[in-house]
Amino acid sequence: MKNKNILLLFWALVMLAGTSCNKYLDINKSPLTATEIEPKLLFGYAITAWDVNKNSGDAWIPLSFMAQNLASGNDLDWFGGNSYDLSPNTLGNTWKVYYSTAGNNLKLAIRAAEGAEPANNNAAAQCKIVLAQLVYEATTLYGDVPFSEAWDPEKNPYPHYQPQKEVLEGVIKLLDEAMAQIDEASPLKISDYDVFYKGDLTKWRKLANSIKFKTLMVMVDKDPSKASAIGELLNNPSSMMSSAADNWVYSYYTASNQENPKFRLFKTYTNETNTFLYAHKNVYDFMAPKNDPRIPRYFKTGADGQYHALASDEPYNANSSLISDYLYRKDAPSVITSYQEIALLKAEAYARGLGVARDLAKAQDLYRAGVEASMKFYQADNGAIAEYVSDPARLVPLTIATDPVKEIHIQQWLDLMDRPMEAFVQWRRSGPEGSEVPALTVPPRATQGPLIRRFPLSPDESAANPNIPNPQPKYYDKMWFDL
């Protein structure tokens, strides 16, 4: 068994020290006992704890196998042989990020910023935008979750759960509140601890609108009334991300203890090299027939010099293609929301006529821009990119495609290959059950039953909060947005 004892440790790994923001982790050990603390310190701690969890064994690896965008090579022994038998560390540590280490610190930062004299409304807005993203992630992973009563243990020690629709409405409201608070003329804001935009409030406003747009796109199939709000954003394209310069990324570096958390997993346990995550046929089989320029950036060739992807639970061999070291390099940025992601969502909205007249020509422009931006983000060969996007046999024009929305969904899936949290949402929202893109099947070694569609609740939360849903949701229960 490959990496036998090493992989057992992934689920217990809490990498909250020594990232690119390790100075942020030297503060706020117990924020509830502090009498006064700067919002930027709470903000810095929160974003570091959040991003490390998202890119660690607690969230990234299990979600990769759940979403089936990475293959295990049949080496699932740290799951007990069952990729649907999720570790309590996965469920609990991820929950704690949203409702304790990150979410709670952001809520405290908002209170501190708004209660300062003078009020630091920009700092509050920055924190609210990040908190909105955390809540979006929490509800798309767990379903109905606490929101209105969350992060206030004195008033609501046992917060009630709210329906997912209400939570997503709350995300939009939180983003609107943040944008109303932003004052570009004010010098009061988080700058030095803002590893994303260095206090550029114009970019923060674009980010808020982009998260809002993404949230609306998740909601619109279940609540068609959201199309009007989608149309308002589409009719004001400069309000959202408009180039790669607007990308929401957490930067990492080559210096020791400042590397990307994924690299640090391999640095700690497998001599700095990925030895157990493989190319999945659900991704590679879309790319290979069209010689996608991202292939050598995503995957390594096998011992025979060729690419060979695996199905879920398919045993690896010497010719199997591992995920590339490029994706897990020291200074690989952690992508939270990208321009290409928003461009492809815009293309989908125009192709479907969501809040605007159906316009396949406009959708085609955005589709091509999104695909090109994705390939450039992953530093594919520029000549190969130009050939790909100009070849109608490879990038099928939406104006002649049999199913233009499916073509967009394929490219959304490919762009999210190593972002399993986002890929898992995209797969579920890509069509009613049975018609999602791609068509997934239950892995052979997974629990026999329906496809996994969510995280069950954290065991710690189940034991501590008497207001949890009854009955508790099962892994195969669809959420409100999941048709």
Side-chain angles (χ1 to χ4, degrees):
M1 180 179 64
K2 181 163 58 74
N3 303 324
K4 179 177 179 181
N5 294 321
I6 292 172
L7 294 174
L8 292 171
L9 299 175
F10 277 138
W11 303 113
L13 183 63
V14 181
M15 296 172 58
L16 294 182
T19 71
S20 63
C21 290
N22 57 338
K23 70 174 182 176
Y24 303 155
L25 301 178
D26 294 331
I27 50 86
N28 191 28
K29 300 299 184 182
S30 180
L32 292 175
T33 63
T35 57
E36 183 177 349
I37 192 164
E38 293 185 71
K40 68 179 184 180
L41 303 181
L42 295 157
F43 174 87
Y45 182 96
I47 61 175
T48 303
W50 167 47
D51 197 71
V52 170
N53 172 270
K54 194 171 181 177
N55 292 288
S56 75
D58 283 339
W60 167 55
I61 293 176
L63 279 166
S64 294
F65 296 153
M66 285 169 52
Q68 300 184 42
N69 54 329
L70 300 181
S72 68
N74 202 34
D75 190 11
L76 284 173
D77 292 276
W78 65 99
F79 283 96
N82 179 357
S83 62
Y84 282 16
D85 185 13
L86 295 171
S87 163
N89 292 327
T90 290
L91 302 174
N93 291 343
T94 304
W95 180 272
K96 290 182 181 72
V97 164
Y98 297 132
Y99 288 100
S100 180
T101 54
N104 188 55
N105 275 266
L106 288 169
K107 196 70 172 181
L108 290 170
I110 292 166
R111 292 171 186 162
E114 292 179 339
E117 184 59 46
N120 189 340
N121 287 326
N122 286 325
Q126 289 166 280
C127 292
K128 286 181 181 179
I129 293 167
V130 178
L131 183 60
Q133 174 67 24
L134 265 65
V135 174
Y136 168 88
E137 291 179 7
T139 190
T140 54
L141 276 179
Y142 293 95
D144 297 352
V145 293
F147 179 62
S148 297
E149 295 183 1
W151 310 293
D152 192 352
E154 293 184 3
K155 184 178 180 181
N156 298 303
Y158 306 114
H160 288 84
Y161 284 59
Q162 288 179 252
Q164 185 174 66
K165 183 179 188 297
E166 292 182 11
V167 176
L168 291 170
E169 297 281 10
V171 168
I172 293 171
K173 181 180 178 182
L174 195 58
L175 292 166
D176 286 341
E177 287 178 5
M179 287 186 282
Q181 282 185 300
I182 291 175
D183 178 5
E184 285 90 343
S186 173
L188 297 177
K189 56 187 175 181
I190 298 173
S191 296
D192 53 345
Y193 279 65
D194 177 6
V195 300
F196 307 121
Y197 298 124
K198 303 301 181 186
D200 186 331
L201 296 171
T202 298
K203 290 188 175 182
W204 276 101
R205 189 184 293 278
K206 284 187 174 185
L207 172 62
N209 274 318
S210 298
I211 299 172
K212 180 178 179 179
F213 178 61
K214 179 171 65 173
T215 304
L216 290 165
M217 290 294 287
V218 167
M219 300 177 74
V220 70
D221 287 314
K222 194 63 177 283
D223 181 1
S225 70
K226 293 293 180 286
S228 60
I230 289 172
E232 290 176 10
L233 288 167
L234 291 174
N235 287 323
N236 187 14
S238 63
S239 68
M240 292 186 278
M241 291 179 172
S242 54
S243 75
D246 297 327
N247 285 347
W248 191 17
V249 299
Y250 198 120
S251 297
Y252 291 96
Y253 305 94
T254 58
S256 179
N257 294 326
Q258 297 183 20
E259 308 102 330
N260 183 290
K262 295 174 183 177
F263 172 84
R264 294 188 68 214
L265 283 171
F266 301 120
K267 176 182 178 180
T268 302
Y269 298 112
T270 56
N271 198 29
E272 300 189 0
T273 302
N274 168 38
T275 61
F276 62 91
L277 297 175
Y278 293 88
H280 203 297
K281 290 174 68 65
N282 285 334
V283 176
Y284 180 73
D285 286 358
F286 285 119
M287 304 176 80
K290 298 181 179 182
N291 193 22
D292 192 302
R294 290 168 289 195
I295 288 174
R297 302 312 253 172
Y298 282 8
F299 314 121
K300 296 169 71 172
T301 55
D304 63 355
Q306 304 298 315
Y307 294 101
H308 301 279
L310 301 174
S312 292
D313 293 353
E314 181 180 352
Y316 72 95
N317 58 54
N319 292 328
S320 302
S321 291
L322 288 155
I323 303 298
S324 72
D325 294 332
Y326 166 80
L327 287 182
Y328 307 144
R329 66 196 186 277
K330 295 179 181 181
D331 59 348
S334 171
V335 186
I336 307 170
T337 303
S338 68
Y339 161 65
Q340 64 258 27
E341 182 180 359
I342 298 304
L344 289 170
L345 284 171
K346 289 180 180 179
E348 178 189 341
Y350 275 104
R352 296 175 59 187
L354 296 175
V356 291
R358 187 169 185 259
D359 188 340
L360 289 181
K362 180 68 173 177
Q364 173 65 23
D365 290 342
L366 290 161
Y367 174 61
R368 174 171 172 155
V371 172
E372 187 173 15
S374 176
M375 292 177 172
K376 287 184 175 179
F377 180 85
Y378 289 106
Q379 299 178 314
D381 179 80
N382 285 329
I385 295 173
E387 291 178 6
Y388 183 97
V389 299
S390 300
D391 184 351
R394 298 167 75 187
L395 189 69
V396 179
L398 301 180
T399 51
I400 63 172
T402 303
D403 188 344
V405 175
K406 182 177 179 180
E407 296 296 329
I408 296 169
H409 285 329
I410 290 170
Q411 289 296 337
Q412 290 168 323
W413 175 255
L414 297 182
D415 176 57
L416 299 173
M417 190 279 290
D418 198 45
R419 296 174 57 197
M421 187 174 294
E422 291 77 14
F424 191 40
V425 176
Q426 171 57 31
W427 171 72
R428 286 175 291 166
R429 61 165 291 273
S430 65
E433 184 175 6
S435 63
E436 301 96 341
V437 179
L440 302 184
T441 57
V442 178
R445 293 174 64 191
T447 302
Q448 293 305 305
L451 282 162
I452 195 166
R453 308 192 81 89
R454 67 193 304 147
F455 272 5
L457 292 179
S458 159
D460 292 339
E461 171 71 2
S462 298
N465 188 350
N467 290 321
I468 60 171
N470 185 19
Q472 291 190 39
K474 304 295 191 296
Y475 74 85
Y476 48 79
D477 289 337
K478 290 194 290 185
M479 298 179 178
W480 171 81
F481 81 87
D482 188 2
L483 300 181

